[in-house]
Amino acid sequence: AQSVTQLDSQVPVFEEAPVELRCNYSSSVSVYLFWYVQYPNQGLQLLLKYLSGSTLVKGINGFEAEFNKSQTSFHLRKPSVHISDTAEYFCAVTHGSGSARQLTFGSGTQLTVLP
Amino acid sequence: DSGVTQTPKHLITATGQRVTLRCSPRSGDLSVYWYQQSLDQGLQFLIQYYNGEERAKGNILERFSAQQFPDLHSELNLSSLELGDSALYFCASRGPLAGGRGAKNIQYFGAGTRLSVL
């Protein structure tokens, strides 16, 4: 079965500092990987995705992530965070095939940007 | 705006009652997924429908059921409610299999229904 591990449940960081949110997955087959963001009292919004091709993927709001197959990781980074980036971030991996494909989510990382 | 619509936004009810949550997927999407998000369990997959048929089941209780109608909207029915059922319930939709790799793998989420069982 697929699993996703987000190593940090809470990450506090000062404004304009860089941040890395870590994600590791387990899979024996090809995977598609995602990061979603959930702002307070809102639904999940797709931040970025890895489907194929370049292992460095860029998303919205200046975020990027690097797919590392050998380390089974998909860490999320931003060089300089803003107060508005305060949110919960979820890493997810697809599994299944055909019409039954699903997402397995990590437990989430709460990013708090401090002034 | 993801294009996925969930109603109602908030629902307050009592233990033992039954409620129905509604989801309208993005135009053209055939797949609907239901998730439950709570503080202690995190984001849990409940059930998936594809073009009216159940395709996958996750951690869905027997007291819960769902269906997808011919117009592709879906309803999640929660019965004999308990205090522990209080949570955010999300619906997501996914594009058709005939779409590209992105279309058939990316799920788009609604804003959720917050259920409070008192």
Side-chain angles (χ1 to χ4, degrees):
Chain A
Q2 300 275 13
S3 69
V4 178
T5 302
Q6 291 185 243
L7 297 161
D8 306 299
S9 60
Q10 307 226 10
V11 173
V13 63
F14 286 106
E15 193 174 16
E16 297 183 7
V19 70
E20 178 180 83
L21 306 185
R22 297 179 293 169
C23 172
N24 286 89
Y25 66 92
S26 69
S27 172
S28 58
V29 296
S30 297
V31 294
Y32 303 120
L33 293 155
F34 306 85
W35 277 97
Y36 283 84
V37 59
Q38 184 179 24
Y39 297 104
N41 300 312
Q42 293 188 29
L44 277 74
Q45 179 182 358
L46 181 66
L47 199 57
L48 50 76
K49 61 189 181 292
Y50 171 76
L51 302 176
S52 66
S54 172
T55 56
L56 183 64
V57 293
K58 294 190 184 298
I60 61 172
N61 301 338
F63 283 92
E64 63 181 33
E66 184 153 20
F67 170 58
N68 188 320
K69 189 174 182 179
S70 63
Q71 296 188 5
T72 59
S73 68
F74 191 53
H75 299 333
L76 180 70
R77 302 185 184 102
K78 186 169 181 178
S80 175
V81 293
H82 303 290
I83 298 285
S84 58
D85 292 323
T86 294
E88 185 138 26
Y89 292 79
F90 293 92
C91 182
V93 61
T94 50
H95 62 100
S97 60
S99 60
R101 59 192 67 202
Q102 303 164 48
L103 281 177
T104 294
F105 285 88
S107 54
T109 297
Q110 174 64 43
L111 173 65
T112 302
V113 181
L114 306 167
Chain B
D1 183 3
S2 67
V4 179
T5 304
Q6 288 188 250
T7 56
K9 285 190 174 5
H10 302 277
L11 204 46
I12 302 174
T13 188
T15 54
Q17 295 298 305
R18 173 189 170 94
V19 297
T20 297
L21 313 183
R22 182 187 168 101
C23 170
S24 293
R26 295 186 318 155
S27 177
D29 285 359
L30 302 179
S31 249
V32 168
Y33 299 77
W34 286 98
Y35 294 86
Q36 179 194 59
Q37 185 181 37
S38 60
L39 283 175
D40 54 343
Q41 299 280 348
L43 195 57
Q44 299 275 322
F45 165 67
L46 296 178
I47 197 164
Q48 180 213 350
Y49 281 82
Y50 181 86
N51 203 19
E53 294 188 9
E54 183 185 304
R55 274 290 181 263
K57 259 187 175 179
N59 299 322
I60 188 166
L61 300 172
E62 285 191 14
R63 300 183 285 109
F64 296 179
S65 65
Q67 57 184 132
Q68 187 179 28
F69 295 87
D71 67 351
L72 301 177
H73 91 271
S74 178
E75 292 181 356
L76 179 67
N77 301 297
L78 315 176
S79 61
S80 303
L81 285 168
E82 301 175 359
L83 295 178
D85 297 327
S86 296
L88 259 175
Y89 291 84
F90 288 110
C91 164
S93 75
R94 175 178 60 77
L97 295 180
R101 191 174 293 167
K104 61 187 179 186
N105 284 288
I106 297 172
Q107 292 184 27
Y108 294 90
F109 283 75
T113 293
R114 183 173 294 279
L115 173 66
S116 298
V117 182
L118 306 178

